[in-house]
Amino acid sequence: MAEYIKVIGAAVILAALMDMLVPDGSFKGYCRLVFGFVLLAAVLSPVTGSIALNVPEYTGADMETAEIEARARILIQHRSNLEKIIEDEFPGCEAYVEVDGEGNVTRVTVENAMDAAATREYVRGAMGIEGSNVIINENKGASR
């Protein structure tokens, strides 16, 4: 609170000093307008200070950690999206997609597939991976 009063007092003294130093004329009106805004900003500083965005500042290792965490979240979301694409294409199945650090698909496992051959071909074509990295567990008891 004491700091707030000091800021307002300094702004008032500065405005009064400038008002005395600026010669009469149209320029004096502009100066009063500007210092009116300065005083208004000083009075409203507690309100605007509490509204300010609290953006964390990262430095060095913190920035590297933040980048690693962001990259991990992106890869998890990417993997989840790929699994959803397969599950939407073949309802009733459960897909598990593994990706490397660059987001490239390395392995896909599909559980409860109704048609193993069609699922394997779709996954190989859509994900662009070798057939040996596509594992299909067919659900022979289920009907489409």
Side-chain angles (χ1 to χ4, degrees):
M1 184 69 171
E3 185 68 28
Y4 174 65
I5 293 171
K6 286 179 186 177
V7 168
I8 291 176
V12 167
I13 291 171
L14 185 61
L17 183 63
M18 290 306 293
D19 191 49
M20 287 188 277
L21 293 176
V22 174
D24 290 334
S26 63
F27 185 66
K28 190 168 196 155
Y30 291 119
C31 287
R32 284 182 176 169
L33 178 69
V34 169
F35 278 101
F37 284 131
V38 170
L39 283 171
L40 185 63
V43 170
L44 294 177
S45 63
V47 175
T48 59
S50 63
I51 297 174
L53 296 175
N54 294 323
V55 178
E57 294 182 26
Y58 295 107
T59 58
D62 291 340
M63 185 60 140
E64 187 175 326
T65 301
E67 288 175 0
I68 290 169
E69 290 172 357
R71 186 173 195 73
R73 283 192 303 271
I74 290 169
L75 288 174
I76 289 169
Q77 185 62 48
H78 175 60
R79 192 186 78 214
S80 176
N81 290 344
L82 293 174
E83 290 171 352
K84 183 161 176 29
I85 289 171
I86 295 169
E87 290 169 357
D88 287 348
E89 185 68 26
F90 299 97
C93 74
E94 292 181 41
Y96 304 96
V97 177
E98 296 176 24
V99 295
D100 62 13
E102 299 298 316
N104 300 316
V105 178
T106 57
R107 184 183 201 125
V108 176
T109 303
V110 179
E111 300 284 338
N112 300 324
M114 301 300 167
D115 184 356
T119 306
R120 182 180 312 281
E121 284 308 308
Y122 175 80
V123 170
R124 285 178 56 200
M127 305 295 159
I129 61 174
E130 296 178 16
S132 62
N133 291 330
V134 178
I135 301 167
I136 308 295
N137 295 322
E138 196 169 10
N139 183 3
K140 304 219 182 246
S143 61
R144 240 192 204 286

